[in-house]
Amino acid sequence: MVGAENGGFACKCMRESILHSRFSLEKRKYRKNLRSFSIIPLLRWELSRRRSVAVGGRNRILSMDAREKSRSPLSVSSKQKRVPIFVMMPIDSFGIDTSGALKIRKIKALTISLKALKSAGVHGIAVEVWWGIVERSSPYAYNWSLYEELFRLISESGLKLHVALSFHSNTHLTSGGQGGVSLPLWILEIGRHNKDIYYRDRNGVTNDDYLTLGVDQHPLFCGRTALQCYEDFMFSFVNKFGALMGTLIEEMNVGLGPCGELRYPAHPFGDGRWRFPGIGEFQCYDKYMMEDLKMAAYQEGKPQWGNKGPYNAGCYNSFPSGVPFFEDGEDSFLSDFGHFFLEWYSSKLIHHADVILAKAANILEKYQANEQNTILLVAKIGIIYWWYHTVSHPAELTAGYYNTAVRDGYDPLASMLSRHRAALQISCFEMMDNEAPETYCCSPERLLQQIRTVSNKRIIHLTGRNSYERFDKVNIILSSHIAYFVSVAEG
């Protein structure tokens, strides 16, 4: 591959006017249901040994709601709509003691820090509730003691809670894979004998961050399907903490894939296979996904289409130029096979979320009916903004978002969320086009605008977070304007 830095790559970007006309916002008022907006970039915070609070790290959390009564002095937008701040627990908050039991690290420092955060005007804490911690050792053996203790500390500090039910692993984010949270140990044992419970790429390399959605309906987990495992976990959580739902716990984010995001692990940065701005690879080569593809091809009357994914889609670190599937040729994404495969690949992802969110919404139904103590159900997606200014949007396609210059891939997703009255959480709120590498046809702003448009169309609540730390004046003003823009009528 000839790199752009050597002058050997010419990005086939579309004209700005074409994209602008396609995704421009209509001059009409936003629906009343979008009266609130949240920016939830997770402000990572670390506990210092000096009993002080260090606010910083990669991410910060902001959340805006027009009905919010918070006294937070930060980020007050137009018309005095306040932006309450949520701070996320750091990735290494939990550890294992000498007996092998899980524990909260530095609990005294944590208690002091929580009180300091409350005094500083922070509204709440965002906590990841890990499947790999609670149901760690054996199926159905839920141990909530660690979270009982943590939630008590947060409540006593006068802070609120956003919880993210995390069915993925984060070991790839830690040094050498040590110190993170894996999938439950009994799941890993099953995976040791059957690696097809994980996603596979075309070379057979597996990714054990999340179970492949190919096993959603297969009873491979001590008699349960993957979907039943997720449902049982959610039910156990709500049963345990029902008294806190809608009071202390204001939001429940349900993990739907790697990093908790509804997507395929097409860009695995943790193991060295992928690096930015590679297009990534399709992740459908475990035997369960391939069986489903064969069935779909047979039903389409084209059994030959079910043998494998696109043969000409490049590799993880390819650029779209010179990769036939992402260009205009006979065997491209525009071909009959290309459309069939991408429709199947993306619809499997949406169906996965549809079933899980339906179960979550059913479990939360009694809390949603209480207007005084309602709880927001949230789903998160990845923001794949590189190669956005191309016709094929290859990096989005490999991640499972069938979004191209001629097809809106986020509208079906938003429509599904709307059925379950679920909010959509996205990242990259701090990113601007003029700061992204132009060579790689990046456009985080255009992508955000597209998603805002479909969120308005489908009347779903939109929340967001930053991907990187930003404290400059321009970014703070930009975030406030984005929040205000979505929460009020457009002129």
Side-chain angles (χ1 to χ4, degrees), residues 33-41 60-70 72 74-86 123 162 250-251 376 423 429 461-465 476-489:
N33 297 60
L34 285 177
R35 61 187 178 275
S36 61
F37 180 81
S38 298
I39 303 176
I40 309 191
R60 64 183 182 278
I61 300 184
L62 301 174
S63 177
M64 183 175 111
D65 191 317
R67 300 163 294 177
E68 180 55 52
K69 306 299 183 183
S70 172
S72 169
L74 302 177
S75 304
V76 180
S77 70
S78 303
K79 296 188 179 180
Q80 300 302 308
K81 286 185 172 61
R82 299 190 181 276
V83 183
I85 295 175
F86 276 75
H123 183 70
H162 283 179
E250 297 183 338
E251 175 181 300
L376 186 65
F429 263 67
H461 188 89
L462 184 65
T463 72
R465 60 187 175 91
I476 292 173
I477 293 174
L478 174 64
S479 295
S480 296
H481 277 293
I482 291 172
Y484 181 67
F485 175 78
V486 178
S487 64
V488 300

Side-chain angles (χ1 to χ4, degrees), residues 276-352:
F276 179 85
I279 60 177
E281 289 190 14
F282 293 109
Q283 306 289 310
C284 59
Y285 293 91
D286 62 84
K287 70 178 182 181
Y288 304 104
M289 288 287 283
M290 290 306 299
E291 287 172 1
D292 194 276
L293 177 61
K294 288 179 182 179
M295 184 180 299
Y298 179 80
Q299 292 173 346
E300 189 72 13
K302 298 284 186 179
Q304 67 274 20
W305 286 353
N307 295 327
K308 58 183 178 180
Y311 71 93
N312 56 352
C315 60
Y316 284 109
N317 296 307
S318 296
F319 286 5
S321 180
V323 177
F325 188 75
F326 299 115
E327 293 191 312
D328 301 331
E330 182 178 336
D331 296 325
S332 74
F333 73 101
L334 296 170
S335 66
D336 289 342
F337 167 74
H339 174 71
F340 159 78
F341 175 79
L342 294 173
E343 186 70 42
W344 169 81
Y345 190 67
S346 62
S347 66
K348 289 292 294 180
L349 200 65
I350 292 175
H351 179 71
H352 173 71

